[in-house]
């Protein structure tokens, strides 16, 4: 399967750095379907799709700006 769209997987430390949330909060929000869910890369390795994390961040920024107007 080939695609023209580049998909980058990122691990938890980078997810945390990008969104400013800690490990526990990331997993709690993902469990509540309020944050992108990780994907299983291998038996003991999970990662997130970078584009989904960046979209989440953009949505949070937009939501915070709507409330201040």
């Amino acid at each position: 399967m080939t695609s023209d769209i580049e998909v980058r997987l990122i691990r938890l430390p980078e997810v945390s750095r990008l969104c400013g949330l800690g490990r526990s909060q990331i997993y709690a929000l993902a469990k509540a379907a309020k944050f992108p869910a990780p994907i299983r890369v291998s038996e003991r390795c999970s990662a997130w799709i970078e584009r989904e994390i960046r979209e989440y961040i953009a949505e949070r920024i937009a939501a915070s700006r709507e409330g201040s107007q």
Side-chain angles (χ1 to χ4, degrees), residues 32-44:
K34 296 181 179 182
F35 190 83
I39 62 166
R40 180 72 61 188
V41 176
S42 69
E43 185 178 319
R44 297 186 63 187

Side-chain angles (χ1 to χ4, degrees), residues 34-55:
K34 296 181 179 182
F35 190 83
I39 62 166
R40 180 72 61 188
V41 176
S42 69
E43 185 178 319
R44 297 186 63 187
C45 178
S46 294
W48 284 257
I49 299 170
E50 181 183 29
R51 183 188 75 250
E52 292 179 355
I53 300 304
R54 293 193 182 279
E55 288 170 357

Side-chain angles (χ1 to χ4, degrees), residues 51-65:
R51 183 188 75 250
E52 292 179 355
I53 300 304
R54 293 193 182 279
E55 288 170 357
Y56 168 83
I57 294 167
E59 289 167 4
R60 299 307 316 145
I61 291 170
S64 73
R65 298 297 186 245

Side-chain angles (χ1 to χ4, degrees), residues 3-24:
S3 174
D4 292 336
I5 300 172
E6 180 181 331
V7 176
R8 182 169 178 256
L9 299 178
I10 57 176
R11 301 289 304 277
L12 183 61
E14 188 170 357
V15 172
S16 182
R17 182 186 62 77
L18 286 172
C19 67
L21 299 172
R23 178 186 191 278
S24 298

Side-chain angles (χ1 to χ4, degrees), residues 23-35:
R23 178 186 191 278
S24 298
Q25 189 67 20
I26 289 169
Y27 280 107
L29 288 171
K31 185 176 181 178
K34 296 181 179 182
F35 190 83

